[in-house]
Coordinates of all heavy atoms in Angstrom, one line a residue:
E1 N 85.4 105.6 77.3 CA 86.1 105.2 78.5 C 87.4 106.1 78.6 O 88.0 106.5 77.6 CB 86.5 103.7 78.4 CG 85.3 102.8 78.5 CD 85.7 101.4 78.4 OE1 86.4 101.0 77.5 OE2 85.1 100.6 79.3
C2 N 87.7 106.4 79.8 CA 88.9 107.2 80.2 C 89.6 106.5 81.3 O 89.3 105.7 82.0 CB 88.4 108.5 80.7 SG 87.4 109.5 79.5
V3 N 91.1 107.0 81.4 CA 91.9 106.4 82.3 C 92.2 107.4 83.5 O 92.7 108.5 83.1 CB 93.2 105.9 81.7 CG1 94.1 105.4 82.8 CG2 92.9 104.8 80.7
L4 N 92.1 107.0 84.7 CA 92.4 107.8 85.8 C 93.6 107.2 86.5 O 93.6 106.1 86.9 CB 91.3 108.0 86.9 CG 91.6 108.6 88.2 CD1 92.2 109.9 87.9 CD2 90.5 108.6 89.1
H5 N 94.8 107.8 86.4 CA 96.1 107.3 87.0 C 96.2 107.8 88.4 O 96.2 109.1 88.6 CB 97.2 107.7 86.0 CG 98.3 106.7 85.9 ND1 99.6 107.1 85.6 CD2 98.4 105.5 86.3 CE1 100.3 106.0 85.5 NE2 99.6 104.9 86.0
L6 N 96.4 106.9 89.3 CA 96.5 107.3 90.8 C 97.6 106.7 91.4 O 98.2 105.7 91.0 CB 95.2 106.7 91.5 CG 93.9 107.2 91.0 CD1 92.8 106.2 91.4 CD2 93.5 108.6 91.6
D7 N 98.1 107.4 92.5 CA 99.1 106.7 93.3 C 98.4 105.6 94.3 O 97.3 105.6 94.3 CB 100.0 107.7 93.9 CG 99.3 108.6 95.0 OD1 98.2 108.2 95.4 OD2 99.9 109.6 95.4
V8 N 99.3 104.9 95.0 CA 98.8 103.9 95.9 C 98.3 104.4 97.3 O 98.4 103.6 98.2 CB 99.7 102.6 96.0 CG1 99.7 101.9 94.5 CG2 101.0 103.1 96.4
W9 N 98.0 105.6 97.4 CA 97.5 106.1 98.7 C 96.2 105.4 99.2 O 95.5 104.9 98.3 CB 97.1 107.6 98.5 CG 96.8 108.3 99.8 CD1 97.4 108.3 101.1 CD2 95.6 109.1 100.0 NE1 96.7 108.9 101.9 CE2 95.6 109.5 101.4 CE3 94.6 109.6 99.1 CZ2 94.7 110.4 101.9 CZ3 93.6 110.5 99.7 CH2 93.6 110.9 101.0
S10 N 96.2 105.2 100.4 CA 95.1 104.3 101.0 C 93.7 104.6 100.6 O 92.9 103.7 100.3 CB 95.2 104.3 102.6 OG 95.1 105.6 103.1
V11 N 93.3 105.9 100.5 CA 92.0 106.3 100.1 C 91.8 105.9 98.7 O 90.6 105.4 98.2 CB 91.7 107.8 100.3 CG1 90.4 108.2 99.7 CG2 91.8 108.1 101.7
H12 N 92.8 106.0 97.7 CA 92.7 105.7 96.4 C 92.4 104.2 96.2 O 91.7 103.8 95.3 CB 93.9 106.1 95.6 CG 94.1 107.6 95.6 ND1 95.4 108.2 95.2 CD2 93.3 108.6 95.7 CE1 95.3 109.5 95.3 NE2 94.1 109.8 95.7
R13 N 93.1 103.4 97.1 CA 93.0 101.9 97.0 C 91.9 101.3 97.6 O 91.6 100.2 97.6 CB 94.4 101.3 97.4 CG 95.5 101.6 96.5 CD 96.8 100.9 97.0 NE 97.3 101.3 98.3 CZ 97.1 100.6 99.5 NH1 96.5 99.6 99.5 NH2 97.6 101.2 100.7
S14 N 91.1 102.2 98.4 CA 90.1 101.7 99.3 C 89.0 101.0 98.6 O 88.7 101.4 97.4 CB 89.6 102.8 100.2 OG 88.9 103.7 99.4
I15 N 88.5 99.9 99.1 CA 87.3 99.2 98.4 C 86.2 100.3 98.2 O 85.5 100.2 97.3 CB 86.9 98.1 99.2 CG1 88.0 97.0 99.2 CG2 85.6 97.4 98.7 CD1 87.6 95.8 100.1
Q16 N 86.0 101.1 99.2 CA 84.9 102.0 99.2 C 85.0 103.0 98.0 O 84.0 103.2 97.2 CB 85.0 102.9 100.5 CG 83.8 103.9 100.5 CD 83.8 104.8 101.9 OE1 85.0 105.0 102.4 NE2 82.7 105.2 102.4
F17 N 86.1 103.6 97.7 CA 86.4 104.4 96.6 C 86.3 103.6 95.2 O 85.6 104.2 94.3 CB 87.7 105.2 96.7 CG 88.0 106.2 95.6 CD1 87.2 107.2 95.4 CD2 89.1 106.1 94.8 CE1 87.3 108.2 94.4 CE2 89.3 107.0 93.8 CZ 88.4 108.0 93.6
R18 N 86.9 102.5 95.2 CA 86.9 101.9 93.9 C 85.5 101.3 93.5 O 85.1 101.4 92.4 CB 87.9 100.6 93.9 CG 89.4 101.1 94.0 CD 90.3 100.0 94.0 NE 90.3 99.3 95.2 CZ 90.4 98.0 95.4 NH1 90.4 97.1 94.4 NH2 90.5 97.4 96.7
M19 N 84.7 100.9 94.6 CA 83.3 100.5 94.3 C 82.5 101.6 93.9 O 81.7 101.5 93.0 CB 82.8 99.8 95.5 CG 83.4 98.5 95.9 SD 82.4 97.6 97.3 CE 80.8 97.5 96.6
W20 N 82.7 102.9 94.5 CA 82.0 104.1 94.1 C 82.3 104.4 92.6 O 81.3 104.6 91.9 CB 82.4 105.1 95.1 CG 81.7 106.4 94.7 CD1 80.3 106.9 95.0 CD2 82.1 107.5 93.9 NE1 80.1 108.0 94.5 CE2 81.3 108.5 93.8 CE3 83.4 107.7 93.2 CZ2 81.4 109.7 93.0 CZ3 83.7 108.9 92.7 CH2 82.6 109.8 92.5
L21 N 83.6 104.4 92.3 CA 83.9 104.7 90.9 C 83.3 103.7 89.9 O 82.7 104.0 88.9 CB 85.4 104.6 90.7 CG 86.3 105.8 91.0 CD1 87.7 105.5 90.9 CD2 85.7 107.0 90.2
D22 N 83.3 102.3 90.3 CA 82.7 101.2 89.4 C 81.3 101.5 89.2 O 80.8 101.2 88.1 CB 83.1 99.9 90.0 CG 84.6 99.5 90.0 OD1 85.3 100.1 89.1 OD2 84.9 98.7 90.8
M23 N 80.6 101.8 90.2 CA 79.1 101.9 90.2 C 78.6 103.2 89.5 O 77.7 103.4 88.8 CB 78.5 101.8 91.6 CG 78.8 100.4 92.2 SD 78.0 100.2 93.9 CE 76.4 100.5 93.6
T24 N 79.4 104.4 89.9 CA 78.9 105.7 89.4 C 79.5 106.1 88.1 O 78.7 106.6 87.2 CB 79.5 106.9 90.5 OG1 79.2 106.4 91.7 CG2 78.8 108.1 90.2
Y25 N 80.7 105.7 87.7 CA 81.2 106.0 86.5 C 82.0 104.8 85.9 O 83.2 104.7 85.9 CB 82.2 107.1 86.6 CG 81.6 108.4 87.2 CD1 81.9 108.8 88.5 CD2 80.8 109.2 86.3 CE1 81.4 110.1 88.9 CE2 80.3 110.4 86.8 CZ 80.6 110.7 88.2 OH 80.0 111.9 88.6
P26 N 81.2 103.8 85.4 CA 81.9 102.6 84.9 C 82.8 102.8 83.7 O 83.5 101.9 83.5 CB 80.7 101.7 84.5 CG 79.6 102.7 84.3 CD 79.8 103.7 85.3
W27 N 82.6 103.9 83.1 CA 83.6 104.3 82.0 C 84.9 104.8 82.4 O 85.9 105.0 81.6 CB 82.9 105.2 81.1 CG 82.3 106.4 81.7 CD1 81.0 106.6 82.1 CD2 82.9 107.7 81.9 NE1 80.8 107.8 82.6 CE2 81.9 108.5 82.5 CE3 84.2 108.2 81.7 CZ2 82.2 109.8 82.9 CZ3 84.5 109.5 82.1 CH2 83.5 110.2 82.7
I28 N 85.2 105.1 83.8 CA 86.4 105.5 84.3 C 87.2 104.3 84.6 O 86.8 103.4 85.5 CB 86.2 106.4 85.5 CG1 85.6 107.8 85.0 CG2 87.6 106.7 86.0 CD1 85.5 108.7 86.2
K29 N 88.3 104.1 84.0 CA 89.2 102.9 84.2 C 90.4 103.5 85.1 O 91.2 104.2 84.6 CB 89.7 102.2 82.9 CG 88.6 101.9 82.0 CD 87.6 100.9 82.8 CE 86.4 100.6 81.8 NZ 85.4 99.7 82.6
Y30 N 90.5 103.1 86.3 CA 91.6 103.6 87.1 C 92.7 102.6 87.2 O 92.5 101.4 87.2 CB 91.0 103.8 88.6 CG 90.2 102.7 89.2 CD1 90.8 101.6 89.9 CD2 88.8 102.7 89.1 CE1 90.1 100.6 90.5 CE2 88.0 101.6 89.6 CZ 88.7 100.6 90.2 OH 88.0 99.6 90.7
R31 N 93.9 103.2 87.3 CA 95.1 102.4 87.2 C 96.1 103.1 88.2 O 96.0 104.3 88.4 CB 95.8 102.4 85.8 CG 94.9 101.6 84.8 CD 94.7 100.1 85.0 NE 94.0 99.5 84.0 CZ 92.7 99.2 84.0 NH1 92.0 99.7 85.1 NH2 92.0 98.6 83.1
F32 N 97.0 102.2 88.9 CA 97.7 102.8 89.9 C 99.3 102.8 89.7 O 99.8 101.8 88.9 CB 97.5 101.9 91.2 CG 96.2 101.9 91.7 CD1 95.2 101.0 91.5 CD2 95.8 103.0 92.5 CE1 94.0 101.0 92.0 CE2 94.6 103.1 93.0 CZ 93.6 102.1 92.8
V33 N 99.9 103.9 90.0 CA 101.3 104.0 89.9 C 101.9 103.1 90.9 O 101.5 103.0 92.1 CB 101.9 105.3 90.1 CG1 103.4 105.5 90.1 CG2 101.3 106.4 89.2
P34 N 102.8 102.1 90.5 CA 103.4 101.1 91.5 C 104.0 101.9 92.7 O 104.5 102.9 92.6 CB 104.4 100.4 90.6 CG 104.0 100.5 89.3 CD 103.4 101.9 89.2
G35 N 103.9 101.4 93.9 CA 104.4 101.9 95.1 C 105.9 102.1 95.0 O 106.7 101.3 94.6
G36 N 106.3 103.2 95.4 CA 107.8 103.6 95.4 C 108.3 104.0 94.0 O 109.6 104.1 94.0
C37 N 107.4 104.1 93.0 CA 108.0 104.4 91.7 C 107.4 105.7 91.1 O 107.7 106.0 90.0 CB 107.4 103.2 90.8 SG 108.1 101.7 91.1
T38 N 106.9 106.6 92.1 CA 106.4 107.9 91.6 C 107.5 108.7 90.9 O 107.3 109.3 89.8 CB 105.8 108.6 92.7 OG1 104.6 108.0 93.1 CG2 105.3 110.0 92.1

């Protein structure tokens, strides 16, 4: 398993992208940088 650290941009947070990651690469665990804290 690996961690992908993302900001909270709309495409990153979209259900479409998150579902695609979950289904295609279940070993990728995505986490988000809190908004306004980059």
Side-chain angles (χ1 to χ4, degrees):
E1 292 181 310
C2 302
V3 175
L4 172 59
H5 212 198
L6 303 155
D7 61 18
V8 290
W9 183 48
S10 58
V11 173
H12 296 162
R13 292 185 293 105
S14 68
I15 294 176
Q16 184 181 31
F17 181 61
R18 288 184 287 139
M19 287 186 63
W20 177 81
L21 277 176
D22 291 339
M23 294 178 63
T24 312
Y25 301 106
W27 47 270
I28 295 180
K29 306 303 177 183
Y30 48 89
R31 299 293 182 266
F32 295 101
V33 177
C37 296
T38 299

